[in-house]
Amino acid sequence: CTATLAAAQQSSVTIFGVLDVGMQRIKNGSKSLNLESIDGLQTSRIGFRGQENLGNGLSASFHLEGAIGPDVGAGGDWRRRATVSLASKDAGELRLGRDYTPTFWNISKFNAFGTNGVGAASNLVYGFDGASGTAKTVIRSDNSIGYFLPEGLGGVYGQAMVAAGEGSTGRYVGARIGYAGAGLDVALGVSSTDNTLAGDKFKVINLGGSYSIGPLKLLGLYHVSKQTTREQKNYVFGAHYAVGSGIIRASYVNAHSRNSANGEDYTGKLIALGYVHNLSKRTSLYATASQVDNSKTGRFLIPGGSAIIAGQDSSGLEAGIYHSF
Amino acid sequence: CTATLAAAQQSSVTIFGVLDVGMQRIKNGSKSLNLESIDGLQTSRIGFRGQENLGNGLSASFHLEGAIGPDVGAGGDWRRRATVSLASKDAGELRLGRDYTPTFWNISKFNAFGTNGVGAASNLVYGFDGASGTAKTVIRSDNSIGYFLPEGLGGVYGQAMVAAGEGSTGRYVGARIGYAGAGLDVALGVSSTDNTLAGDKFKVINLGGSYSIGPLKLLGLYHVSKQTTREQKNYVFGAHYAVGSGIIRASYVNAHSRNSANGEDYTGKLIALGYVHNLSKRTSLYATASQVDNSKTGRFLIPGGSAIIAGQDSSGLEAGIYHSF
Amino acid sequence: CTATLAAAQQSSVTIFGVLDVGMQRIKNGSKSLNLESIDGLQTSRIGFRGQENLGNGLSASFHLEGAIGPDVGAGGDWRRRATVSLASKDAGELRLGRDYTPTFWNISKFNAFGTNGVGAASNLVYGFDGASGTAKTVIRSDNSIGYFLPEGLGGVYGQAMVAAGEGSTGRYVGARIGYAGAGLDVALGVSSTDNTLAGDKFKVINLGGSYSIGPLKLLGLYHVSKQTTREQKNYVFGAHYAVGSGIIRASYVNAHSRNSANGEDYTGKLIALGYVHNLSKRTSLYATASQVDNSKTGRFLIPGGSAIIAGQDSSGLEAGIYHSF
């Protein structure tokens, strides 16, 4: 078929990326540390992607994306995403490789600071059980097969993922279903990961949403992580308010841990306030202040500073430059 | 000279690559393992290459190519190939850097599954002496200087390579000479590598060929590896048969090892059958089944699964998506 | 503003790099070693850079550059440079990330062989105190904030850099000021690095210059490194002489070390002679010979060969191909 041949003969690759560098002051307990910080607004990265039209509504595509650490020149892998896809306009997309888990997207999308910088809700969501470990599928999964619903379902979107454990931990099954329309965006995610060789399941369920009215966008997230008797519950509220070519961002994050590694229950709270000034669609300046309060044996913290003792507080201040290409 | 200046002022870089991901089931002995597999049809990779016309039939070029592991997001080096070349239309090409060895190409080109996937002849050719080591020059060599005959020699092609040992193992000398024309392609390769610090030579000689008649292509390879008293002989037969926009592939590989590490002789056999369905020139779906039978102390296997005990059999089944850019 | 929006909608990325491979013979003391050498003329590399016009003389830009080892296919990080910049035509450039230190540039620019190959002055400048360590900021610094004077200051140029120690060694402060015009280029650099956890300062001061008259360019550098009681002084003289499409290069480097690690003073001298033949602006062939003479306990050497005993001499011979894209 002529269309297929023509498509096969043209191959275009898009290079894209982000450099985001700033200065940060983290105070954990009584110890302060000044840092050159990265990724305060978006994670620094470089990537390559492309799509091939196969005709009849079918397409093949690839996406390679790796993190960069511009403070020290780090980089080299494609562990942000490395996938190949076959997609049909009517039937949806089949995607294989290393990719984000469905449950990650609710954490990322439904809090005012995403998963970057001192104000990110992820500072209190990722750290299951305070200082204990977390399943390696909280953000992404190796060895995954994903399916994405096609567009044109009246605002309904969704995805499901399974990932092979390959004889080790990390076997994952999860899904996310949402609706976006008329200023509203709401989604539910669930997942289960084989997190120990004995087969203990790390389970996540989260429900998030956002609603835009004029210059204001409200965001909310409820997130639960469980493994055997341990449990962490988070609720997150936030807002964006557009002023001129900038956005004011505010967030409140609550984390409550039950049956922690040392047997206790504790609570942590994060409040954050920040401003993003857009110099263009590709370039911004930003500043954020954040404070974490721990109760009892809580050891929640803003990462990057000194270690903290249970119950100590943590605060962070950062300002930086974001540039995308 | 005007032509040289014009060439010097234009610099174009081509980005190219492959993403190849699928599912695999490997059964070694009585143990089965399900995997997200990669590189079933071609090795996943990203590369950059370019050429500069220097005038008078002279050109300079570079080639950088590194493997990608899309199942886990691996990547970062250029160990598939990293070379700079000076070439003349009349005198041939001088190539420096890390490159494929001449003897590799006969393994790759003259078997029905190349060196990728569960059906690859390389599964029984690379593994000199069953479970023992192999020279690091079986596929590529560091520190190499290569020479390639120019085109236009009536179908005769050839290359030679020397590589510096730099005070360690790996000093290599090898060559390959072939003829391609009228559906026939046949080539002879020889090499010697200093494989131990005592100077033991790992020697390879191989002779391969293919012949195309209409939709059928027949492939054959005879390959011998030797080091001191150890020896492995392989013979490989295969076929490609084009059907519509696909290719049926079949292969038989025999490996016979003499004076192995534990003093015994043994034989392994691989049979493989597969189908490649081309969605376009750039994108294919494929499936392959393969079976390895070991005699006596043989430990030949399809890589990726559990370890095997001498004499156990190995089988593999895979299906995947190949996409190039 | 229309101009800003237009700029925001176009994103262009430049891919650039160098492949430089050759052969080298290094003789240290009585031991000779043959190597496939790299980076004899310029360091092999790949990079991505781009610039965005923000309007009103403002621009944002990024620069990612990582070394390549084409002899072994090494690569993967961005440790040559990983920066994001905001620049104003009138006020200069603010640059954040991993970058070259100001004091490095005088070493690189004001000797006939730069910092590459057997003839490089850096062979005797980088090695503070002969065989002892050196601050990690001699070439580049992590966690840096740099400022560069704008153009249009009547030939005056300059830069300053501070880098965060982040609770470890490497806190850096340095600056460079120079003048270029009418064939003359001269610059002064100073820096101080916290080089031990006890806070010992590694201090550098250097003054370099070059003067071009017709086909001849003369280069000179005076460089002093100090830490507590240790001190190394270098003076370097060199010349480039253009002949047809090539350049003859010659260099003399003197290094004098006081209060070395083993308490002695010693002197090393390097002489080098070479020729670069330009096939185009992008591609060259080159050859260099170099000799290092050590006095007393001196252990200066041309890197890449065997270890030397104090007082032994070192010599190097190399020829290679340089190709840029």
Side-chain angles (χ1 to χ4, degrees), chain C residues 298-313:
Chain C
R299 279 164 299 189
F300 292 106
L301 53 75
I302 296 164
S306 310
I308 63 168
I309 297 167
Q312 284 189 329
D313 297 337

Side-chain angles (χ1 to χ4, degrees), chain A residues 16-234:
Chain A
F16 63 94
V18 168
L19 274 287
D20 183 340
V21 188
M23 296 306 291
Q24 207 179 51
R25 183 176 179 85
I26 305 289
K27 187 178 179 191
N28 285 344
S30 59
K31 290 185 185 166
S32 289
L33 190 63
N34 294 326
L35 303 160
E36 179 160 279
S37 57
I38 61 169
D39 306 348
L41 194 57
Q42 295 287 338
T43 304
S44 299
R45 74 195 73 168
I46 187 166
F48 299 85
R49 64 174 178 244
Q51 189 171 358
E52 179 192 12
N53 178 8
L54 296 168
N56 300 319
L58 272 176
S59 63
S61 60
F62 77 96
H63 187 116
L64 287 171
E65 187 177 321
I68 290 172
D71 52 342
V72 298
D77 61 43
W78 308 105
R79 288 182 60 75
R80 284 180 58 83
R81 183 173 157 194
T83 61
V84 60
S85 294
L86 264 187
S88 150
K89 277 187 181 166
D90 296 331
E93 177 185 348
L94 183 70
R95 187 187 292 179
L96 285 81
R98 178 171 170 83
D99 195 12
Y100 294 90
T101 52
T103 32
F104 164 78
W105 289 114
N106 285 349
I107 308 173
S108 171
K109 288 193 178 300
F110 298 127
N111 86 83
F113 292 88
T115 53
N116 286 92
V118 297
S122 54
N123 294 334
L124 265 61
V125 173
Y126 286 173
F128 178 65
D129 204 354
S132 86
T134 304
K136 58 187 177 182
T137 55
V138 167
I139 304 173
R140 299 174 183 88
S141 180
D142 289 342
N143 305 312
S144 81
I145 302 182
Y147 167 74
F148 294 77
L149 290 177
E151 296 187 358
L153 299 180
V156 173
Y157 60 86
Q159 68 179 108
M161 178 188 277
V162 295
E166 301 201 344
S168 181
T169 62
R171 198 161 65 96
Y172 175 94
V173 54
R176 180 173 181 246
I177 184 94
Y179 169 82
L184 180 70
D185 190 353
V186 61
L188 174 73
V190 293
S191 71
S192 175
T193 305
D194 286 5
N195 203 28
T196 68
L197 287 175
D200 286 348
K201 308 283 187 195
F202 178 88
K203 293 185 180 184
V204 171
I205 183 163
N206 55 30
L207 175 67
S210 65
Y211 186 62
S212 298
I213 24 174
L216 181 67
K217 182 180 188 179
L218 299 172
L219 307 102
L221 171 69
Y222 178 69
H223 183 95
V224 182
S225 314
K226 285 186 188 184
Q227 185 173 330
T228 62
T229 62
R230 297 184 189 181
E231 184 187 66
Q232 182 179 295
K233 287 187 183 172
N234 294 98

Side-chain angles (χ1 to χ4, degrees), chain B residues 47-58:
Chain B
F48 299 85
R49 64 172 177 245
Q51 189 171 359
E52 179 193 13
N53 178 7
L54 297 167
N56 300 319
L58 272 177

Side-chain angles (χ1 to χ4, degrees), chain C residues 114-127 270 290 292 300-303:
Chain C
T115 53
N116 286 92
V118 296
S122 54
N123 294 334
L124 266 61
V125 173
Y126 286 174
L270 177 152
S290 177
V292 173
F300 292 106
L301 53 75
I302 296 164

Side-chain angles (χ1 to χ4, degrees), chain C residues 109-110 183 210-219 238-242:
Chain C
K109 287 193 178 302
F110 298 128
S210 66
Y211 185 63
S212 297
I213 24 175
L216 181 67
K217 183 180 187 178
L218 299 171
L219 306 101
H240 288 176
Y241 190 81

Side-chain angles (χ1 to χ4, degrees), chain A residues 209-278:
Chain A
S210 65
Y211 186 62
S212 298
I213 24 174
L216 181 67
K217 182 180 188 179
L218 299 172
L219 307 102
L221 171 69
Y222 178 69
H223 183 95
V224 182
S225 314
K226 285 186 188 184
Q227 185 173 330
T228 62
T229 62
R230 297 184 189 181
E231 184 187 66
Q232 182 179 295
K233 287 187 183 172
N234 294 98
Y235 52 91
V236 184
F237 299 109
H240 289 177
Y241 191 81
V243 282
S245 57
I247 297 175
I248 297 169
R249 307 192 296 173
S251 188
Y252 170 82
V253 185
N254 185 292
H256 183 71
S257 186
R258 287 204 314 150
N259 300 315
S260 72
N262 56 5
E264 299 194 55
D265 294 4
Y266 51 83
T267 301
K269 295 169 187 174
L270 177 152
I271 53 167
L273 186 67
Y275 175 66
V276 179
H277 182 73
N278 297 313

Side-chain angles (χ1 to χ4, degrees), chain C residues 142-166:
Chain C
D142 289 342
N143 304 312
S144 81
I145 302 182
Y147 167 73
F148 294 76
L149 289 176
E151 296 187 358
L153 298 180
V156 174
Y157 60 85
Q159 68 178 108
M161 178 188 276
V162 295
E166 300 201 345

